[in-house]
Amino acid sequence: MRVSKSNRQSQILAELNVSPSLRIAELAERLNVSTETIRRDLDELNRQGQLSRTYGGAIRALGTEPSVAERHALLVPERERIARRAMPLLASANVIMIGSGSTTVHVARRLAVERTNITVITHSFGVATVLALNPTISTLIAPGAYHGTEGATVGVHTVSFLDTFFADAAVLGASGLTEEGPTDALLDAGAVYSAMLARSARSVVVADHSKFDRVFPARYGAWKQIDALVSDTAPAGQLKAAMDRHRVTVAVG
């Protein structure tokens, strides 16, 4: 039996409280409506800011990010492709700084599989954990105040530690990407990413399409400071124009 539009949308939001991501086909079957009806519901809820549309479904609204543990369950195939596509851009890097986040953990996992005898400097416990799979990789963890929902250290001690190193490349995630540059939901994390950016010869931002045209409080860099973006989809519109203007390499996985 079909439910009303308001009840249907309420159920969709209730599902997002349980599962961090939803697929259109699954929702259509569960609610006994067409996929087109679900698309219209998701588009409307997206306009209201109650969720964020993705290709083929939706995730929780990005105005406030879910914890890193929850983000690990989102867009896993896309992030795995991004990680693989990032490897050629890091092939010549022997010292790499890696920021916290779910996509950066996927990159670290690929590094553990494909690289040997490199040094990684990170503030992310998730990154350090997956790198431990490869005993030839030397991992340095930055000290600082532990941020539980991000699974990483932040603060003045973290930034001071990073300032004593220089890396061949920085790999950074983002909560949102705007024409002004990559942004993050956490001010303290943004400060750490800025420090990594300043202490690295090259910079690679890894972010899936759900981050496009989303803005968050901490802009940790401008596109003129970024060498490459690796994503699962090519950016378009003003975001693409801004990146083209600053000659940012876009690699799509």
Side-chain angles (χ1 to χ4, degrees):
M1 182 177 180
R2 296 192 179 187
V3 297
S4 68
K5 175 182 173 180
S6 61
N7 286 339
R8 189 172 61 243
Q9 293 186 357
S10 294
Q11 288 188 38
I12 290 172
L13 294 175
E15 290 283 347
L16 276 178
N17 287 329
V18 178
S19 174
S21 64
L22 300 173
R23 295 290 180 182
I24 288 173
E26 294 172 358
L27 284 172
E29 182 178 356
R30 198 172 305 160
L31 298 175
N32 192 30
V33 294
S34 68
T35 55
E36 286 303 315
T37 296
I38 294 298
R39 285 191 181 92
R40 288 194 295 271
D41 284 339
L42 296 182
D43 288 341
E44 183 174 333
L45 291 168
N46 181 68
R47 287 192 297 272
Q48 295 170 1
Q50 298 192 66
L51 52 72
S52 295
R53 285 285 271 117
T54 63
Y55 180 78
I59 61 175
R60 294 175 185 173
L62 290 177
T64 54
E65 269 202 325
S67 70
V68 70
E70 292 176 305
R71 299 201 306 273
H72 280 309
L74 301 173
L75 304 170
V76 173
E78 290 86 347
R79 286 170 170 160
E80 289 176 344
R81 293 199 302 271
I82 289 170
R84 290 190 181 93
R85 186 65 184 87
M87 290 301 100
L89 299 177
L90 302 172
S92 62
N94 293 314
V95 180
I96 305 172
M97 290 187 178
I98 304 182
S100 62
S102 51
T103 306
T104 54
V105 168
H106 282 285
V107 173
R109 186 176 288 114
R110 290 310 309 172
L111 286 171
V113 171
E114 298 189 18
R115 297 294 304 276
T116 57
N117 301 313
I118 62 173
T119 297
V120 173
I121 304 166
T122 187
H123 68 132
S124 165
F125 282 58
V127 167
T129 298
V130 298
L131 289 173
L133 298 171
N134 185 334
T136 74
I137 295 178
S138 175
T139 304
L140 283 69
I141 302 178
Y146 181 67
H147 194 294
T149 59
E150 189 63 14
T153 55
V154 295
V156 294
H157 296 296
T158 310
V159 172
S160 295
F161 176 84
L162 294 171
D163 283 343
T164 63
F165 294 92
F166 189 78
D168 299 313
V171 179
L172 305 168
S175 302
L177 303 177
T178 74
E179 57 187 298
E180 293 187 357
T183 64
D184 199 80
L186 300 173
L187 297 179
D188 287 340
V192 173
Y193 304 156
S194 292
M196 289 183 169
L197 199 57
R199 303 302 298 173
S200 300
R202 298 186 67 251
S203 56
V204 180
V205 173
V206 290
D208 64 78
H209 68 276
S210 71
K211 312 301 175 64
F212 293 175
D213 301 311
R214 298 280 179 177
V215 61
F216 287 82
R219 184 179 72 107
Y220 64 78
W223 287 120
K224 64 181 179 181
Q225 299 171 275
I226 307 300
D227 293 292
L229 167 70
V230 186
S231 187
D232 60 314
T233 304
Q238 293 182 338
L239 178 58
K240 179 182 184 301
M243 296 177 68
D244 288 345
R245 192 160 56 248
H246 294 291
R247 299 181 181 178
V248 179
T249 298
V250 177
V252 177

